[in-house]
Amino acid sequence: MFFDRPDNGGETAVLVHVNFPEGANREDLNEFRELVISAGADPVGLVTTKRPTPDAKTFVGRGKVEEIGDVVRLHGAELVIFNHSLSPSQERNLERALQCRVLDRTGLILDIFAQRARTHEGKLQVELAQLQYQSTRLIRGWTHLERQKGGIGMRGPGETQLETDRRLLRERVKSINSRLEKVRAQRDQGRRSRKRSDVPTIAIVGYTNAGKSTLFNALTSSEVYAADQMFATLDPTIRRFQVGDVGEVVLADTVGFIRHLPHKLVESFRATLQEAAEATLLMHVIDCAAEERDGNIRQVELVLGEIEADEVPQLRVYNKIDLLEHGGEARIERDDMGVPVAVWLSAQKRLGFDLLNQAMGELLGEDVFDQEISLRPAEAKLRAILYEFGAIRNEAFADNGDIILNVRMQRHDFKRALARAEIAEQRFIKPVQEAWH
């Protein structure tokens, strides 16, 4: 099978996909091709085969290796990419037989991450994952970095090239881990600061290319890079956002997930993904028009379990309703208790945003201060502050001159208002009726 060349000027690549029994290493071919194009390669051919189990030496067997070699020579391909994870020995055996570079799915995803990382933290995380991946594949890759240690007591046969490579790699990994620890400490400090101020955090998670960044941009009027490609953005972005009666919350856009996301990447990006684990609410964005929608949902749930974020309250957001075959209607889905569990919308067309805001408000509104309070004339400063928050729904005056206010706002904001007005919170524990007497 051959592909129409996208002609993006990248390396020509032959793709290899093995169909195992249902449920074993199942991967999506369309997603595979999108990954390859996202990495900048030109897929010129596809070789598929069926096997009960992978071949220990070459993953696909001797006969299929010969077929792949014929396709490589026919197109003069520079690269062969497998839609599966290969062992270091399988990779070396295949390169020896095919006389060209061989890349597996893990290496492909790592390469895309390396291209997409923009911030210092993101680049460090990707480099760490790459080094950990390459540590088992060292042959003589770092020849230009070779340096024999000398000095008194150090003379002798010296290190072999492979030993030198391994030592240099270990030192680099140690250095990156040290620098990432500082970044993680800064992130933890930011999260602790938000917790102290009791500002709710909503983390946007989801399968890659589900429209997370598009939704984030539309909600916050930001300019986070968004494109119809795998892993368009890697680095987390945090913005303030107003949610109905709840008030100000923090919205965090996170890295997209994918099937068999390399474990080393999950480890390297743990500090970034911690935004999801410590969020008040998860907004799970789903491409409702995707053929593999249910499978994508399962993969996201697996990663959330791996980073211990599966216990965080979750609101599913079914995005791209405008792409459904028979059209889609913006709506809220509720459980038997009437609690919102899902919202259907289109981030691109800005459909259903009012419903999303309503659902977020209901889920976060459990800690809302909603009652009538009575203020003495000397406490008018609190009245002004509450108007500043936009929290007063109704106002009346008692015969004795007291101000009766109907207030609805986040409890943490009410506490802040009381602190600014220098009024003790206990002042409003009594029912408002008692304050009349």
Side-chain angles (χ1 to χ4, degrees):
M1 177 179 176
F2 303 102
F3 290 120
D4 292 330
R5 296 267 306 266
D7 195 22
N8 57 17
E11 293 179 282
T12 53
V14 173
L15 314 188
V16 180
H17 176 80
V18 181
N19 288 307
F20 292 104
E22 187 66 25
N25 293 327
R26 185 172 182 271
E27 306 289 5
D28 180 51
L29 267 176
N30 291 329
E31 179 181 275
F32 180 35
R33 184 171 183 267
E34 287 299 318
L35 281 171
V36 172
I37 294 173
S38 293
D42 290 342
V44 294
L46 172 67
V47 178
T48 61
T49 185
K50 291 184 179 180
R51 291 190 65 87
T53 58
D55 179 73
K57 290 186 176 180
T58 62
F59 197 82
V60 291
R62 185 185 303 174
K64 192 55 66 171
V65 169
E66 292 177 0
E67 181 183 336
I68 296 169
D70 291 339
V71 178
V72 168
R73 287 185 290 274
L74 176 65
H75 292 280
E78 305 159 89
L79 183 64
V80 173
I81 307 177
F82 278 70
N83 194 20
H84 311 275
S85 293
L86 301 175
S87 70
S89 61
Q90 288 171 336
E91 200 170 290
R92 287 194 291 272
N93 292 337
L94 286 164
E95 287 185 343
R96 197 177 301 119
L98 299 173
Q99 293 297 297
C100 70
R101 284 197 306 121
V102 173
L103 193 66
D104 68 356
R105 183 182 175 89
T106 301
L108 177 65
I109 294 173
L110 285 171
D111 185 83
I112 296 172
F113 269 58
Q115 294 179 46
R116 300 285 191 269
R118 293 290 179 269
T119 64
H120 175 65
E121 179 191 7
K123 291 175 181 178
L124 286 176
Q125 289 170 326
V126 171
E127 184 180 355
L128 178 61
Q130 286 180 314
L131 291 176
Q132 291 171 330
Y133 172 73
Q134 292 167 0
S135 63
T136 57
R137 288 167 163 76
L138 284 179
I139 303 175
R140 291 182 180 273
W142 289 22
T143 305
H144 63 293
L145 296 177
E146 180 178 9
R147 181 175 62 191
Q148 299 293 332
K149 285 192 174 182
I152 298 173
M154 300 293 290
R155 295 182 178 87
E159 297 172 296
T160 65
Q161 178 61 56
L162 188 57
E163 288 169 342
T164 304
D165 289 349
R166 284 174 177 160
R167 176 175 55 79
L168 291 171
L169 189 145
R170 284 196 300 270
E171 290 174 357
R172 180 61 180 162
V173 167
K174 184 178 178 181
S175 171
I176 292 175
N177 274 322
S178 176
R179 291 158 73 180
L180 277 175
E181 278 303 317
K182 295 179 182 178
V183 175
R184 287 166 185 154
Q186 292 171 351
R187 275 198 181 281
D188 288 342
Q189 185 176 6
R191 278 193 290 267
R192 285 196 299 271
S193 175
R194 294 199 296 271
K195 282 185 177 179
R196 281 196 299 270
S197 61
D198 290 327
V199 179
T201 300
I202 301 176
I204 302 179
V205 299
Y207 206 76
T208 184
N209 207 25
K212 298 184 303 302
S213 295
T214 301
L215 179 62
F216 182 86
N217 288 339
L219 290 174
T220 63
S221 300
S222 299
E223 295 182 358
V224 174
Y225 179 67
D228 185 17
Q229 60 182 198
M230 301 291 194
F231 306 113
T233 53
L234 292 184
D235 304 305
T237 309
I238 295 174
R239 295 286 186 273
R240 299 277 179 170
F241 178 64
Q242 290 289 329
V243 175
D245 294 328
V246 173
E248 192 174 71
V249 303
V250 170
L251 203 61
D253 187 18
T254 62
V255 64
F257 302 156
I258 197 169
R259 280 179 179 74
H260 300 156
L261 186 67
H263 184 72
K264 294 301 181 187
L265 270 179
V266 175
E267 285 297 315
S268 299
F269 277 76
R270 186 169 290 277
T272 300
L273 296 172
Q274 201 67 21
E275 294 289 352
E278 298 189 12
T280 311
L281 175 69
L282 291 182
M283 191 189 300
H284 180 178
V285 180
I286 301 161
D287 180 354
C288 66
E291 294 181 9
E292 295 285 329
R293 184 178 76 187
D294 294 339
N296 295 349
I297 293 173
R298 284 194 296 272
Q299 293 302 318
V300 172
E301 299 290 352
L302 285 173
V303 177
L304 289 176
E306 192 170 349
I307 62 173
E308 299 178 354
D310 48 341
E311 296 298 322
V312 179
Q314 184 181 128
L315 174 68
R316 289 188 176 182
V317 178
Y318 289 93
N319 187 25
K320 306 185 183 181
I321 59 173
D322 52 307
L323 299 182
L324 291 175
E325 186 176 352
H326 300 294
E329 180 183 352
R331 64 186 188 277
I332 295 179
E333 285 184 7
R334 300 177 182 274
D335 62 15
D336 295 338
M337 303 294 292
V339 177
V341 293
V343 178
W344 293 70
L345 54 74
S346 169
Q348 189 73 41
K349 303 293 185 181
R350 295 175 178 265
L351 299 174
F353 280 17
D354 54 336
L355 299 176
L356 177 62
N357 201 298
Q358 177 186 335
M360 289 189 291
E362 289 184 37
L363 292 171
L364 294 173
E366 294 179 359
D367 198 27
V368 168
F369 181 86
D370 187 2
Q371 69 182 58
E372 194 173 62
I373 64 173
S374 175
L375 300 182
R376 293 185 284 267
E379 297 170 329
K381 182 179 179 181
L382 177 59
R383 172 180 175 274
I385 294 172
L386 293 176
Y387 266 111
E388 183 183 320
F389 274 97
I392 297 177
R393 308 180 81 178
N394 192 29
E395 180 179 28
F397 294 89
D399 293 339
N400 64 355
D402 285 355
I403 309 167
I404 310 301
L405 301 176
N406 190 318
V407 178
R408 179 178 172 84
M409 64 193 302
Q410 275 290 102
R411 191 172 297 275
H412 68 263
D413 285 334
F414 183 63
K415 291 178 181 178
R416 285 165 55 196
L418 290 173
R420 284 175 57 187
E422 300 179 346
I423 298 176
E425 183 185 351
Q426 290 78 0
R427 164 84 173 76
F428 298 100
I429 294 177
K430 297 178 181 179
V432 68
Q433 289 83 0
E434 292 184 21
W436 282 70
H437 300 290

